[in-house]
Amino acid sequence: MSEATVIDGKAFAAKVREGVAGEVAALKAARGVVPGLAVVLVGDDPASQVYVRGKGKATLEAGMESFTFRMAGTSSHDEVLARVEALNADPRVNGVLVQLPLPGQIDERAIVDAVDPAKDVDGFHVVNTGRLATGLDATVPCTPLGCQLLLRDRLGADGLKGAEAVVVGRSNIVGKPMAQLLLRDHCTVTVAHSRTKDLPAVVRRADIVVAAAGRPEMVRGDWIKPGATVIDVGINRIERGDGKTRLVGDVRFDEAVKVAGAVTPVPGGVGPMTIACLLANTVAAARRQHGAPEPD
Ligand code: GUN
């Protein structure tokens, strides 16, 4: 059997980012508005620092303003809340993102829900979550949105209709919103997780697999139905054996590529799409806040 198509998320994300840069330029020309994204990072988690730096750089490259607020890991709940409230009130800021996870002394849910839903470019606010679940217009979380764009590009709208989709992982950031997006695209959706009985058998039913369990290389080649489309959301750093580390997904890539119809690599698959979708959510938020029309 021939090897799977390796989905080039980096190239697709570059196209999305080009489109966003065009929208930013148009908004500036028509209204004199430069969209701004504020990112709040509490503490010094190394992975979060890398993500936050990447988000700031991409924001500037799209022609937008970037504001990064680094707060001590010992910050109190009220200090973080005050920062979010200041950003809600700042007219230069159209999008507010609080990098998760937050240190234990902070009530994460309360902070997420303190962000103005109109500025909630993560789509994590309970209002946006509820709107997505009820089929209303909503800001959609960036990672599942990126997965949806890759799936639609690969399969076409008709390719998703009626397909069996299995999402592995039930997080608020990826698994649950991903399931909602797949439902909106008329898939038959199963959300599986660490307590699912006979997980390999459940995954084997899937025409579409979205692996978002946070477990390195958990999904093996013999879990995958031949020809399935496999989207790997995992980003796990593992020991290589020679003292160095490497990034792997939640899917055992070398096995999956022999069975699947298409598979995303790690790195270079879903990761770049997440940032591209954050930029898209930010320019859309700025447009709405300024009453500008949606582009064609
Ligand atoms: N931590 C891991 N992924 C994300 C994300 O998409 N947004 C935020 N705010 N924090 C995260």
Side-chain angles (χ1 to χ4, degrees):
M1 212 169 101
S2 61
E3 288 224 330
T5 301
V6 178
I7 295 172
D8 189 345
K10 203 170 160 194
F12 196 94
K15 274 198 261 173
V16 174
R17 285 170 63 164
E18 229 172 82
V20 171
E23 289 177 36
V24 170
L27 196 57
K28 194 170 174 183
R31 313 242 165 184
V33 169
V34 179
L37 172 64
V39 177
V40 179
L41 173 61
V42 186
D44 48 17
D45 176 67
S48 291
Q49 293 201 29
V50 172
Y51 296 145
V52 165
R53 217 174 301 128
K55 287 169 186 178
K57 185 164 169 276
T59 305
L60 294 174
E61 282 170 8
M64 299 193 274
E65 284 218 72
S66 166
F67 310 93
T68 303
F69 297 88
R70 291 187 168 80
M71 301 180 71
T74 51
S75 302
S76 69
H77 178 84
D78 287 349
E79 284 167 336
V80 178
L81 185 62
R83 169 53 60 204
V84 168
E85 284 170 350
L87 295 172
N88 283 344
D90 188 335
R92 295 169 307 163
V93 172
N94 305 108
V96 177
L97 182 152
V98 181
Q99 186 67 26
L100 304 179
L102 290 170
Q105 75 276 16
I106 296 166
D107 179 348
E108 192 165 285
R109 186 72 246 169
I111 294 295
V112 165
D113 287 338
V115 174
D116 178 346
K119 294 191 177 185
D120 169 36
V121 286
D122 257 332
F124 293 166
H125 192 288
V126 71
V127 164
N128 281 312
T129 311
R131 292 181 67 89
L132 176 63
T134 44
L136 296 170
D137 278 345
T139 300
V140 175
C142 308
T143 299
L145 180 58
C147 296
Q148 184 190 43
L149 294 179
L150 292 177
L151 283 168
R152 285 182 177 177
D153 181 63
R154 164 79 193 161
L155 299 169
D158 279 349
L160 281 121
K161 228 177 261 175
E164 283 272 357
V166 173
V167 179
V168 186
R170 53 177 159 175
S171 69
N172 290 331
I173 293 181
V174 185
K176 287 179 201 163
M178 188 74 241
Q180 297 294 351
L181 291 178
L182 291 163
L183 275 176
R184 281 221 290 213
D185 279 340
H186 312 293
C187 294
T188 302
V189 183
T190 302
V191 182
H193 47 79
S194 56
R195 311 261 176 98
T196 297
K197 281 188 192 151
D198 200 354
L199 185 56
V202 172
V203 174
R204 238 173 251 130
R205 294 204 304 254
D207 305 305
I208 294 168
V209 181
V210 179
R215 299 247 204 118
E217 300 184 316
M218 182 182 69
V219 177
R220 306 297 302 254
D222 65 356
W223 295 23
I224 294 166
K225 177 162 141 182
T229 303
V230 179
I231 305 291
D232 189 352
V233 180
I235 304 178
N236 311 288
R237 193 164 280 287
I238 62 166
E239 300 289 332
R240 234 171 35 172
D242 57 0
K244 298 204 171 125
T245 62
R246 69 187 176 103
L247 279 187
V248 297
D250 288 356
V251 177
R252 181 74 184 259
F253 183 84
D254 60 332
E255 294 176 0
V257 80
K258 297 196 180 97
V259 187
V263 58
T264 60
V266 176
V270 173
M273 289 299 290
T274 297
I275 291 196
C277 290
L278 172 65
L279 303 176
N281 280 352
T282 303
V283 72
R287 237 185 352 249
R288 282 193 298 270
Q289 286 159 36
H290 288 278
E294 296 280 319
D296 294 334

Coordinates of all heavy atoms in Angstrom, one line a residue, residues 1 18 20 52 64 71 73 109 131 138-139 157 159 187 205 210 226 235 248 255 273 275 281-282:
M1 N 0.8 -1.2 0.0 CA 0.0 0.0 0.0 C 0.9 1.2 0.0 O 1.9 1.3 0.6 CB -0.9 0.0 1.2 CG -2.2 0.7 1.0 SD -3.4 0.4 2.3 CE -3.2 1.9 3.2
E18 N -1.0 34.9 5.4 CA -1.0 35.9 4.3 C -2.4 36.6 4.2 O -2.5 37.8 4.0 CB -0.7 35.2 3.0 CG 0.4 35.8 2.1 CD 0.7 34.8 1.0 OE1 -0.1 34.8 0.0 OE2 1.6 34.0 1.1
V20 N -4.6 36.9 6.5 CA -4.8 37.8 7.7 C -4.1 39.1 7.5 O -4.7 40.2 7.8 CB -4.3 37.1 9.0 CG1 -4.4 38.0 10.2 CG2 -5.2 35.9 9.3
V52 N 4.3 31.8 23.8 CA 4.0 33.2 23.9 C 4.9 34.0 23.0 O 4.5 35.0 22.3 CB 4.0 33.7 25.4 CG1 4.1 35.2 25.5 CG2 2.9 33.1 26.1
M64 N 0.0 43.5 13.0 CA -0.8 43.9 14.1 C 0.1 44.4 15.3 O 1.3 44.1 15.3 CB -1.7 42.8 14.6 CG -2.7 42.3 13.5 SD -4.0 41.2 14.1 CE -3.2 39.7 14.0
M71 N 4.0 38.1 34.0 CA 3.7 38.3 35.5 C 4.4 37.2 36.3 O 4.5 36.0 35.7 CB 2.2 38.3 35.7 CG 1.5 39.4 35.0 SD -0.3 39.4 35.3 CE -0.4 40.0 37.0
G73 N 5.2 34.1 38.7 CA 4.5 32.9 39.0 C 3.8 33.0 40.4 O 2.9 32.2 40.6
R109 N -10.7 29.2 35.7 CA -12.0 29.4 35.1 C -12.5 30.8 35.2 O -13.0 31.4 34.3 CB -13.0 28.4 35.7 CG -14.4 28.4 35.1 CD -14.3 27.7 33.7 NE -14.6 28.6 32.7 CZ -14.5 28.3 31.4 NH1 -14.0 27.2 31.0 NH2 -14.8 29.2 30.5
R131 N -22.1 29.4 22.8 CA -22.5 29.8 21.5 C -22.1 28.7 20.4 O -22.9 28.4 19.6 CB -22.0 31.2 21.1 CG -22.6 32.3 21.9 CD -22.0 33.7 21.5 NE -22.4 34.0 20.1 CZ -23.6 34.7 19.8 NH1 -24.3 35.1 20.8 NH2 -23.9 34.9 18.6
A138 N -19.7 32.2 16.9 CA -18.8 32.2 18.1 C -17.4 32.3 17.7 O -17.0 31.9 16.6 CB -19.0 30.8 18.9
T139 N -16.6 32.8 18.6 CA -15.1 32.7 18.4 C -14.8 31.3 18.7 O -15.1 30.8 19.8 CB -14.4 33.7 19.3 OG1 -14.8 35.0 18.9 CG2 -12.9 33.6 19.0
A157 N -16.0 19.7 1.9 CA -17.1 19.7 2.8 C -17.9 18.4 2.7 O -18.3 17.8 3.8 CB -18.1 20.8 2.5
G159 N -16.7 15.5 2.1 CA -15.9 14.4 2.6 C -16.1 14.2 4.1 O -15.9 13.2 4.7
C187 N -20.3 15.3 10.8 CA -19.7 14.0 11.1 C -20.5 13.3 12.2 O -21.3 13.9 12.9 CB -18.3 14.2 11.7 SG -17.1 14.9 10.5
R205 N -12.6 2.5 14.1 CA -13.9 2.7 13.4 C -13.8 4.0 12.6 O -14.6 4.3 11.7 CB -15.0 3.0 14.4 CG -15.4 1.8 15.2 CD -16.9 2.0 15.6 NE -17.1 3.2 16.4 CZ -17.3 3.3 17.7 NH1 -17.3 2.2 18.4 NH2 -17.5 4.4 18.3
V210 N -8.9 12.6 15.4 CA -8.2 13.7 15.9 C -7.6 13.3 17.3 O -8.3 13.0 18.2 CB -9.1 14.9 16.1 CG1 -8.3 16.1 16.7 CG2 -9.8 15.3 14.8
P226 N -7.4 1.7 7.5 CA -6.7 2.1 6.2 C -7.4 3.2 5.5 O -8.6 3.2 5.3 CB -6.7 0.8 5.4 CG -6.8 -0.3 6.5 CD -7.7 0.3 7.6
I235 N 1.8 17.6 21.2 CA 3.2 18.2 21.1 C 3.8 17.7 22.4 O 3.6 18.2 23.5 CB 3.2 19.7 21.1 CG1 2.4 20.3 19.9 CG2 4.6 20.2 21.1 CD1 2.4 21.8 19.8
V248 N 7.4 14.8 19.6 CA 6.6 13.8 19.0 C 5.1 14.1 19.3 O 4.8 14.9 20.2 CB 6.8 12.3 19.5 CG1 8.2 11.9 19.1 CG2 6.5 12.2 21.0
E255 N 4.4 4.6 12.0 CA 3.4 3.5 11.7 C 2.2 4.1 11.0 O 1.7 3.4 10.1 CB 3.0 2.9 13.1 CG 4.1 2.2 13.8 CD 3.7 1.6 15.2 OE1 2.6 1.8 15.6 OE2 4.6 1.0 15.8
M273 N -0.9 25.9 12.5 CA -2.3 26.3 12.3 C -2.9 27.1 13.5 O -3.7 27.9 13.3 CB -3.1 25.1 11.9 CG -2.8 24.5 10.6 SD -3.1 25.7 9.2 CE -4.9 25.9 9.2
I275 N -1.5 29.1 15.6 CA -1.1 30.5 15.6 C -1.8 31.3 14.5 O -2.3 32.4 14.7 CB 0.5 30.7 15.6 CG1 1.1 30.2 16.9 CG2 0.8 32.1 15.3 CD1 2.5 30.6 17.1
N281 N -8.6 35.0 14.4 CA -9.6 35.4 15.4 C -9.4 36.9 15.8 O -10.3 37.6 16.2 CB -9.5 34.5 16.6 CG -10.2 33.1 16.4 OD1 -10.9 32.9 15.4 ND2 -10.0 32.2 17.3
T282 N -8.1 37.3 15.9 CA -7.8 38.7 16.4 C -8.3 39.7 15.4 O -8.9 40.7 15.8 CB -6.3 38.8 16.7 OG1 -5.9 37.8 17.6 CG2 -6.0 40.2 17.2

